[in-house]
Amino acid sequence: MTAAIVWFRRDLRLADNPALRHALERHERVLPVYIHAPDEEAPWAPGGAARWWLHHSLEALSAALARAGAPLLLRQGPSLRQLRELARTVDASAVYWNRLYEPALIARDQAVKQALREDGLTAESFNAALLAEPWQLKTGNGDPYRVFTPYWRNAGARLPQRPPPLPAVRKLSPVARAPRGLPLKELGLLPDIRWDGGLRDTWIPGEAGAWKRLEQYCDEAAANYKEERDLPALEATSRLSPHLHFGEISPGQIVAWLRRLAAEDARHGMVANVDHYIRELGWREFSHHLLYHYPYTPLQPLNPKFESFPWRKPRDYAADLRAWQRGRTGVPIVDAGMRQLWHTGWMHNRVRMIVASFLTKNLLIPWQEGAHWFWDTLVDADLANNTQGWQWTAGSGADAAPYFRVFNPVLQSGKFDKDGVYLRHWVPELKKLPDDMLHAPWLAKIAAPAPYDEPIVDLARSRERALLAYADIKNG
């Protein structure tokens, strides 16, 4: 009886999983396996928050696969060695997996595929993570896109031709004698010091958790997404990003679900909000397009002019960086966002832009420092999205924010958190201040409540300093 190995990575679901479906349809027995090999992802192995999510997502996937009849086998890398050993042990004739798009993993997977084929095995990979492969879309000149609007005009036009999501796999036949695997706890994904209480209170990792989150969003927020998505005090965004990153739900599933919702509720507002949300998924696609074509960008600016940008030196900014990381900058909206990040492993997107602008422009700290901190603290830490977001704010990336755009955190806070609900939740030291003093307490006629300090930098003067630095780059 023919057997196949399905190599799970960040496709931790049973529905709309082409590698798993392919194995089920072509082989009599299936061995699902997850191989923990963080060294192969260097220098972008998962950070602490992402490892926490991975542990619980693997736990959920293992239970789902066991119910389907073929339990998940856990191993520890190197991946090729483990796959070869497993193929010999269970007499598998094929190995299937769904593609990843980070530069180190593309190289790893290409080497694995070639080696397995040289061993006489069938080795095939599939697209389970994106609406369009990064290499499928090109400008009229045959170049990669570097501006979002024309990219999405091309990508969005292809959506109606997408096939429907694959149904969930309900029953699998396991291999006759399963090899020995590792207990999940031996992968060492959970923190030794339990700082993860906020994560446990906020999230339900796993495929079922992803669908619960999507359904909650559709019930409570989808109809007002376009108008309310920038308001951090509201549950107005889907918060599906970590579920998407770990492949607990696919973008194709989300698009199909939302389009059906809009068709059932023909109000123009619902249709417009659904289309606007799907466009936001397009930014995720665009980020993967950029990372694929410009694989150096997680560490280097896309715009080469920024190689000579006059960032401050580490010895000069170390204290300011630490204050930013801890949410102790003295700027309420910045501190609120950084504390939300530390407690929940997530930050509202509008606030992400504000804290990133403050770091790179008001503090003149290199965007790579912010990207590394986000990488370790975000449950949705995704190399493509993280890189694009930081380069966009710094002004050095594709479709970047204009160099002269320096977010004023006080104005941003007053506009998007007018009543201070978000600020009072995450910066409780200030909760008794009146609304007109809350966003810039250092300007109040009364002293800010202890122990809240004044800003670590003068916003107006630091803005001018940033504009001078960016002007030099623009003219250089």
mmCIF file of all heavy atoms in Angstrom, residues 77-95:
data_model
loop_
_atom_site.group_PDB
_atom_site.id
_atom_site.type_symbol
_atom_site.label_atom_id
_atom_site.label_comp_id
_atom_site.label_asym_id
_atom_site.label_seq_id
_atom_site.Cartn_x
_atom_site.Cartn_y
_atom_site.Cartn_z
ATOM 1 N N GLY A 77 14.931 18.802 13.540
ATOM 2 C CA GLY A 77 15.752 18.826 12.346
ATOM 3 C C GLY A 77 17.119 18.164 12.481
ATOM 4 O O GLY A 77 17.434 17.616 13.526
ATOM 5 N N PRO A 78 17.908 18.187 11.384
ATOM 6 C CA PRO A 78 17.710 18.848 10.095
ATOM 7 C C PRO A 78 16.573 18.212 9.271
ATOM 8 O O PRO A 78 16.365 16.989 9.320
ATOM 9 C CB PRO A 78 19.055 18.692 9.375
ATOM 10 C CG PRO A 78 20.030 18.334 10.448
ATOM 11 C CD PRO A 78 19.255 17.591 11.489
ATOM 12 N N SER A 79 15.901 19.028 8.490
ATOM 13 C CA SER A 79 14.687 18.588 7.814
ATOM 14 C C SER A 79 14.954 17.471 6.808
ATOM 15 O O SER A 79 14.233 16.469 6.777
ATOM 16 C CB SER A 79 14.023 19.779 7.109
ATOM 17 O OG SER A 79 13.631 20.748 8.043
ATOM 18 N N LEU A 80 15.957 17.638 5.962
ATOM 19 C CA LEU A 80 16.216 16.636 4.932
ATOM 20 C C LEU A 80 16.561 15.288 5.563
ATOM 21 O O LEU A 80 16.055 14.246 5.129
ATOM 22 C CB LEU A 80 17.353 17.097 4.015
ATOM 23 C CG LEU A 80 17.764 16.100 2.927
ATOM 24 C CD1 LEU A 80 16.580 15.714 2.042
ATOM 25 C CD2 LEU A 80 18.916 16.663 2.091
ATOM 26 N N ARG A 81 17.395 15.301 6.558
ATOM 27 C CA ARG A 81 17.761 14.039 7.213
ATOM 28 C C ARG A 81 16.541 13.356 7.813
ATOM 29 O O ARG A 81 16.357 12.140 7.685
ATOM 30 C CB ARG A 81 18.800 14.306 8.299
ATOM 31 C CG ARG A 81 19.367 13.025 8.929
ATOM 32 C CD ARG A 81 20.397 13.353 9.975
ATOM 33 N NE ARG A 81 19.795 13.915 11.175
ATOM 34 C CZ ARG A 81 20.480 14.508 12.156
ATOM 35 N NH1 ARG A 81 21.795 14.652 12.055
ATOM 36 N NH2 ARG A 81 19.861 14.975 13.218
ATOM 37 N N GLN A 82 15.687 14.132 8.464
ATOM 38 C CA GLN A 82 14.486 13.559 9.071
ATOM 39 C C GLN A 82 13.538 13.003 8.006
ATOM 40 O O GLN A 82 12.979 11.907 8.167
ATOM 41 C CB GLN A 82 13.770 14.621 9.906
ATOM 42 C CG GLN A 82 14.519 15.067 11.146
ATOM 43 C CD GLN A 82 14.616 13.962 12.188
ATOM 44 O OE1 GLN A 82 13.812 13.037 12.216
ATOM 45 N NE2 GLN A 82 15.620 14.054 13.051
ATOM 46 N N LEU A 83 13.334 13.731 6.912
ATOM 47 C CA LEU A 83 12.437 13.259 5.862
ATOM 48 C C LEU A 83 12.964 11.984 5.212
ATOM 49 O O LEU A 83 12.200 11.051 4.925
ATOM 50 C CB LEU A 83 12.240 14.357 4.817
ATOM 51 C CG LEU A 83 11.443 15.580 5.281
ATOM 52 C CD1 LEU A 83 11.518 16.696 4.244
ATOM 53 C CD2 LEU A 83 9.986 15.208 5.562
ATOM 54 N N ARG A 84 14.256 11.927 4.980
ATOM 55 C CA ARG A 84 14.839 10.714 4.395
ATOM 56 C C ARG A 84 14.662 9.516 5.320
ATOM 57 O O ARG A 84 14.281 8.424 4.889
ATOM 58 C CB ARG A 84 16.324 10.946 4.099
ATOM 59 C CG ARG A 84 16.597 11.685 2.802
ATOM 60 C CD ARG A 84 18.069 11.993 2.647
ATOM 61 N NE ARG A 84 18.418 12.192 1.239
ATOM 62 C CZ ARG A 84 19.534 12.774 0.829
ATOM 63 N NH1 ARG A 84 20.419 13.218 1.727
ATOM 64 N NH2 ARG A 84 19.779 12.919 -0.456
ATOM 65 N N GLU A 85 14.935 9.728 6.582
ATOM 66 C CA GLU A 85 14.798 8.630 7.541
ATOM 67 C C GLU A 85 13.354 8.160 7.631
ATOM 68 O O GLU A 85 13.074 6.946 7.639
ATOM 69 C CB GLU A 85 15.287 9.093 8.912
ATOM 70 C CG GLU A 85 15.137 8.024 9.996
ATOM 71 C CD GLU A 85 15.474 8.559 11.378
ATOM 72 O OE1 GLU A 85 16.385 9.405 11.481
ATOM 73 O OE2 GLU A 85 14.804 8.142 12.338
ATOM 74 N N LEU A 86 12.424 9.094 7.674
ATOM 75 C CA LEU A 86 11.010 8.728 7.765
ATOM 76 C C LEU A 86 10.535 8.026 6.506
ATOM 77 O O LEU A 86 9.751 7.063 6.572
ATOM 78 C CB LEU A 86 10.165 9.985 8.027
ATOM 79 C CG LEU A 86 10.341 10.622 9.405
ATOM 80 C CD1 LEU A 86 9.620 11.968 9.465
ATOM 81 C CD2 LEU A 86 9.830 9.697 10.502
ATOM 82 N N ALA A 87 10.985 8.497 5.354
ATOM 83 C CA ALA A 87 10.580 7.852 4.101
ATOM 84 C C ALA A 87 11.046 6.401 4.066
ATOM 85 O O ALA A 87 10.305 5.504 3.613
ATOM 86 C CB ALA A 87 11.133 8.634 2.912
ATOM 87 N N ARG A 88 12.279 6.138 4.536
ATOM 88 C CA ARG A 88 12.761 4.754 4.568
ATOM 89 C C ARG A 88 11.962 3.929 5.571
ATOM 90 O O ARG A 88 11.596 2.777 5.299
ATOM 91 C CB ARG A 88 14.249 4.736 4.932
ATOM 92 C CG ARG A 88 15.175 5.253 3.853
ATOM 93 C CD ARG A 88 16.629 4.908 4.171
ATOM 94 N NE ARG A 88 17.046 5.514 5.438
ATOM 95 C CZ ARG A 88 17.659 6.695 5.529
ATOM 96 N NH1 ARG A 88 17.899 7.395 4.415
ATOM 97 N NH2 ARG A 88 18.023 7.170 6.696
ATOM 98 N N THR A 89 11.691 4.519 6.713
ATOM 99 C CA THR A 89 11.035 3.768 7.791
ATOM 100 C C THR A 89 9.630 3.328 7.417
ATOM 101 O O THR A 89 9.213 2.193 7.706
ATOM 102 C CB THR A 89 11.003 4.612 9.078
ATOM 103 O OG1 THR A 89 12.343 4.962 9.435
ATOM 104 C CG2 THR A 89 10.353 3.846 10.215
ATOM 105 N N VAL A 90 8.867 4.218 6.781
ATOM 106 C CA VAL A 90 7.457 3.897 6.466
ATOM 107 C C VAL A 90 7.282 3.496 5.011
ATOM 108 O O VAL A 90 6.158 3.284 4.560
ATOM 109 C CB VAL A 90 6.534 5.085 6.810
ATOM 110 C CG1 VAL A 90 6.688 5.473 8.270
ATOM 111 C CG2 VAL A 90 6.795 6.285 5.901
ATOM 112 N N ASP A 91 8.406 3.391 4.278
ATOM 113 C CA ASP A 91 8.365 3.029 2.855
ATOM 114 C C ASP A 91 7.481 3.985 2.067
ATOM 115 O O ASP A 91 6.643 3.580 1.254
ATOM 116 C CB ASP A 91 7.871 1.584 2.688
ATOM 117 C CG ASP A 91 8.181 1.028 1.300
ATOM 118 O OD1 ASP A 91 9.120 1.545 0.658
ATOM 119 O OD2 ASP A 91 7.476 0.103 0.860
ATOM 120 N N ALA A 92 7.668 5.272 2.301
ATOM 121 C CA ALA A 92 6.902 6.291 1.583
ATOM 122 C C ALA A 92 7.466 6.484 0.183
ATOM 123 O O ALA A 92 8.683 6.433 -0.020
ATOM 124 C CB ALA A 92 6.928 7.604 2.340
ATOM 125 N N SER A 93 6.579 6.732 -0.737
ATOM 126 C CA SER A 93 7.006 6.982 -2.113
ATOM 127 C C SER A 93 6.964 8.455 -2.475
ATOM 128 O O SER A 93 7.411 8.840 -3.565
ATOM 129 C CB SER A 93 6.114 6.212 -3.092
ATOM 130 O OG SER A 93 4.756 6.636 -2.969
ATOM 131 N N ALA A 94 6.423 9.305 -1.586
ATOM 132 C CA ALA A 94 6.275 10.723 -1.910
ATOM 133 C C ALA A 94 6.309 11.566 -0.645
ATOM 134 O O ALA A 94 5.952 11.108 0.448
ATOM 135 C CB ALA A 94 4.963 10.963 -2.652
ATOM 136 N N VAL A 95 6.760 12.815 -0.817
ATOM 137 C CA VAL A 95 6.717 13.820 0.243
ATOM 138 C C VAL A 95 6.076 15.068 -0.356
ATOM 139 O O VAL A 95 6.499 15.552 -1.421
ATOM 140 C CB VAL A 95 8.121 14.165 0.774
ATOM 141 C CG1 VAL A 95 8.026 15.202 1.891
ATOM 142 C CG2 VAL A 95 8.848 12.910 1.255
#
